[in-house]
């Protein structure tokens, strides 16, 4: 089961987290980086690996880069990009189709994962 979970992380080594790796999901593709799902997933990834820096560092570094890259983009609707619910994979472009904007839980869940990673870094004198 962990192997399937792990395959959804760090898509094409660019840090994104895919919600569903199938591009032909009935009702529409979920092959996106959903901010809130990714935050929960990366927090769980840290916990499943016992907060062990050696086990998490590579994927977490890529995730941090993905978050920085996607949060630095411009939302086509003029919204703060941090409340955009989903981003294109693998590069993190802002999804431009219609989808329930804003969603305000994503930033907090992303922050939770990043804080957990930051605490692991601090514990390891990084």
């Amino acid at each position: 089961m962990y192997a399937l979970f792990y395959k959804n992380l760090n898509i094409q080594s660019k840090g994104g987290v895919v919600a569903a790796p199938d591009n032909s999901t009935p009702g529409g593709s979920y092959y996106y980086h959903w901010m809130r799902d990714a935050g929960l997933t990366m927090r769980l990834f840290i916990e499943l690996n016992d907060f062990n820096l050696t086990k998490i560092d590579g994927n977490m570094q890529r995730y941090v880069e993905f978050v920085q890259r996607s949060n630095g983009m411009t939302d086509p609707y003029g919204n703060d990009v941090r409340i955009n619910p989903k981003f294109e994979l693998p590069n993190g472009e802002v999804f431009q189709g219609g989808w329930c904007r804003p969603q305000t839980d994503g930033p907090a869940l992303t922050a939770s994962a990043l804080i957990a990673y930051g605490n692991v870094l601090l514990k390891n004198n990084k």
Side-chain angles (χ1 to χ4, degrees), residues 37-56:
D37 296 357
L40 290 167
T41 298
M42 295 311 288
R43 175 65 193 234
L44 179 62
F45 171 69
I46 293 168
E47 292 173 8
L48 286 173
N49 285 286
D50 301 317
F51 300 85
N52 182 312
L53 182 61
T54 302
K55 293 179 180 179
I56 68 170

Side-chain angles (χ1 to χ4, degrees), residues 10-60:
N10 197 16
I11 301 303
Q12 295 184 21
S13 299
K14 295 189 177 188
V17 178
V18 68
D22 181 0
N23 285 321
S24 59
T25 304
S29 173
Y30 277 76
Y31 194 84
Y32 297 100
H33 175 97
W34 295 77
M35 186 182 287
R36 66 176 160 202
D37 296 357
L40 290 167
T41 298
M42 295 311 288
R43 175 65 193 234
L44 179 62
F45 171 69
I46 293 168
E47 292 173 8
L48 286 173
N49 285 286
D50 301 317
F51 300 85
N52 182 312
L53 182 61
T54 302
K55 293 179 180 179
I56 68 170
D57 201 32
N59 279 327
M60 289 306 300

Side-chain angles (χ1 to χ4, degrees), residues 110-126:
T110 298
S112 175
L114 297 176
I115 289 167
Y117 178 50
N119 285 333
V120 172
L121 291 171
L122 288 171
K123 181 180 172 188
N124 286 275
N125 299 313
K126 303 286 181 180

Side-chain angles (χ1 to χ4, degrees), residues 71-91:
N71 285 342
M73 298 195 180
T74 302
D75 183 89
Y77 302 101
N79 293 317
D80 185 325
V81 73
R82 292 169 295 182
I83 58 171
N84 197 59
K86 64 183 179 180
F87 298 85
E88 302 282 349
L89 289 169
N91 296 319

